[in-house]
């Protein structure tokens, strides 16, 4: 399993942080002779420098190149990054290692899988975990946490605009809706100027990704995907906000659309559930879905 961990540290130098990391891994392994450490310097500025350390349970590589990008994408204050590979039977020791890092620091932190889905996150000093990972057992962290599940909501809407720049055309309206109903005007747009067919809107713990989808079923349209993924909890008020956002988007753009939610991480518990459809201006709700009550509450359907 490959993961990425980003966190905020108050250490003044990179060397202090690296010494701190080595202390934490030494505290969880019985045989220090199994610990292998190497350093590589790539530039005078130090951005490409790396510390690699490996034990029988997992391997860690320090890397600062994606820290700023991750700060922007998840609206978190972070200043250090790790790439991690967990070996077979190494999960328990890795969770102990993560617990040591969390106990020894008190700033923001986020652990992401290889697809940049959240495994755990500490924001506003509250730690939440995605119980689809590590068989739901995070007890070895040794710190209090909220037990949640990662869910990704996806709106696919067939907008009646045929233009290569459709994402840039609809961006102002999508941002206006998010500013008004989610962020009170305090969100930010994150995008690559060389990649105009995708952007993200981020505000605190709300993040929506907007990009081109598959080809439209009609000659004059383009399917656009808008997705929101996070660790949610039972009766989480943030889900109401997400549904309110999608409702306003659906009202703002004509065309057939489908709203679905993906739950589960592993093959055995993976579920993709269609929550609603709009076909030829008629909206149909999935009455058996848990989220239908929320859809009705926000006036969708």
């Amino acid at each position: 399993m490959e993961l990425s961990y980003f966190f905020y540290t108050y250490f003044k130098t990179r060397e202090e942080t690296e010494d701190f990391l080595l202390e934490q891994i030494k505290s969880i392994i019985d045989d220090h002779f199994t610990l292998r450490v190497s350093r590589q310097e790539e530039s005078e500025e130090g951005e490409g420098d790396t510390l690699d350390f490996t034990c029988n349970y997992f391997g860690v590589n320090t890397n600062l190149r994606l820290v700023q990008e991750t700060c922007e994408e998840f609206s978190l204050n972070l200043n250090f990054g790790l790439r991690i590979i967990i070996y077979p039977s190494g999960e328990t020791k890795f969770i102990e290692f993560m617990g040591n890092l969390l106990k020894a620091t008190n700033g923001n932190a986020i652990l992401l899988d290889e697809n940049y889905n959240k495994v755990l996150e500490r924001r506003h000093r509250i730690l939440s975990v995605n119980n689809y990972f590590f068989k739901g057992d995070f007890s070895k962290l040794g710190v209090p946490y909220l037990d949640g599940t990662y869910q990704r909501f996806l709106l696919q809407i067939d907008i009646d605009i045929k233009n290569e720049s459709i994402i840039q055309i609809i961006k102002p309206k999508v941002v206006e809706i998010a500013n008004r109903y989610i962020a009170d005007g305090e969100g930010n747009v994150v995008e690559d100027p060389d990649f105009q067919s995708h952007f993200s809107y981020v505000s605190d713990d709300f993040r929506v990704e907007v990009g081109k989808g598959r080809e439209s079923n009609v000659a004059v349209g383009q399917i656009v995907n808008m997705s929101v993924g996070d660790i949610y909890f039972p009766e989480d008020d943030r889900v109401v906000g997400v549904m309110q956002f999608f409702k306003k988007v659906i009202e703002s753009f004509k065309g057939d659309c489908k709203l679905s939610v993906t739950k589960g991480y592993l093959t055995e518990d993976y579920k993709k559930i269609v929550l609603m459809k709009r076909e030829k201006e008629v909206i149909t709700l999935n009455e058996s879905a848990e989220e239908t009550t929320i859809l009705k509450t926000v006036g969708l359907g």
Side-chain angles (χ1 to χ4, degrees):
M1 181 187 299
E2 296 186 16
L3 302 171
S4 297
Y5 182 63
F6 301 91
F7 63 104
Y8 188 86
T9 171
Y10 290 95
F11 291 114
K12 300 298 183 183
T13 67
R14 184 186 183 115
E15 289 74 20
E16 286 180 291
T17 305
E18 292 177 346
D19 289 342
F20 159 72
L21 292 170
L22 290 174
E23 288 176 10
Q24 304 314 311
I25 192 170
K26 287 177 182 178
S27 69
I28 65 161
I29 59 177
D30 300 322
D31 187 355
H32 290 182
F33 290 105
T34 65
L35 180 62
R36 297 172 293 281
V37 181
S38 64
R39 283 184 170 89
Q40 181 175 343
E41 297 183 5
E42 294 187 7
S43 66
E44 293 182 2
E45 294 79 11
E47 184 177 313
D49 295 356
T50 60
L51 169 71
D52 298 274
F53 53 94
T54 304
C55 64
N56 290 338
Y57 307 104
F58 55 87
V60 177
N61 166 264
T62 62
N63 196 316
L64 303 186
R65 285 178 172 155
L66 294 177
V67 172
Q68 185 58 39
E69 177 183 322
T70 305
C71 289
E72 295 173 356
E73 285 287 353
F74 292 94
S75 190
L76 286 169
N77 187 17
L78 309 160
N79 61 7
F80 210 85
L82 307 175
R83 295 176 60 191
I84 301 145
I85 298 178
I86 304 177
Y87 306 139
S89 303
E91 292 184 353
T92 299
K93 285 294 184 182
F94 171 72
I95 294 173
E96 287 184 39
F97 174 67
M98 290 301 306
N100 283 357
L101 298 187
L102 290 164
K103 283 181 280 190
T105 60
N106 57 18
N108 294 328
I110 188 168
L111 181 66
L112 304 168
D113 71 5
E114 57 192 20
N115 297 313
Y116 257 48
N117 296 321
K118 294 179 184 179
V119 180
L120 66 76
E121 178 185 54
R122 182 164 62 190
R123 183 188 296 267
H124 305 312
R125 296 182 181 271
I126 297 174
L127 179 65
S128 56
V129 305
N130 174 10
N131 60 24
Y132 285 128
F133 280 84
F134 308 124
K135 300 177 181 178
D137 185 4
F138 286 82
S139 58
K140 291 294 184 180
L141 284 175
V143 294
Y145 60 85
L146 298 178
D147 190 31
T149 56
Y150 187 87
Q151 301 179 54
R152 179 167 291 277
F153 296 95
L154 172 64
L155 175 65
Q156 297 170 291
I157 183 165
D158 197 346
I159 299 176
D160 57 351
I161 300 174
K162 195 71 172 180
N163 191 303
E164 284 296 317
S165 302
I166 184 172
I167 299 302
Q168 298 303 312
I169 292 171
I170 70 171
K171 181 171 69 175
K173 186 62 180 179
V174 174
V175 171
E176 176 191 328
I177 294 170
N179 276 334
R180 181 174 181 182
Y181 294 98
I182 297 292
D184 295 326
E186 298 181 358
N188 295 304
V189 173
V190 179
E191 60 184 336
D192 184 340
D194 296 325
F195 189 55
Q196 295 289 296
S197 60
H198 177 275
F199 74 90
S200 298
Y201 174 93
V202 184
S203 173
D204 197 22
D205 61 351
F206 175 83
R207 175 173 177 254
V208 58
E209 297 177 72
V210 182
K212 283 186 179 180
R214 60 178 175 80
E215 288 294 319
S216 171
N217 294 324
V218 296
V220 294
Q222 169 67 53
I223 293 178
V224 173
N225 295 336
M226 303 186 191
S227 66
V228 178
D230 212 332
I231 300 173
Y232 294 104
F233 312 100
E235 301 180 1
D236 196 323
D237 290 341
R238 294 175 301 158
V239 177
V240 178
V242 172
M243 295 306 170
Q244 181 76 8
F245 167 77
F246 282 136
K247 172 181 180 286
K248 295 301 179 181
V249 170
I250 290 170
E251 291 176 345
S252 300
F253 299 103
K254 296 180 180 180
D256 291 352
C257 65
K258 178 172 67 175
L259 177 62
S260 60
V261 60
T262 300
K263 304 179 181 182
Y265 177 77
L266 303 175
T267 302
E268 58 265 28
D269 56 18
Y270 179 88
K271 296 178 183 177
K272 185 172 183 179
I273 303 167
V274 175
L275 304 179
M276 62 79 62
K277 287 183 178 181
R278 180 174 67 188
E279 296 176 326
K280 298 180 180 179
E281 301 184 6
V282 177
I283 292 178
T284 304
L285 299 182
N286 178 357
E287 295 292 344
S288 63
E290 296 177 9
E291 295 78 8
T292 299
T293 300
I294 299 175
L295 292 175
K296 292 179 178 179
T297 299
V298 301
L300 187 56

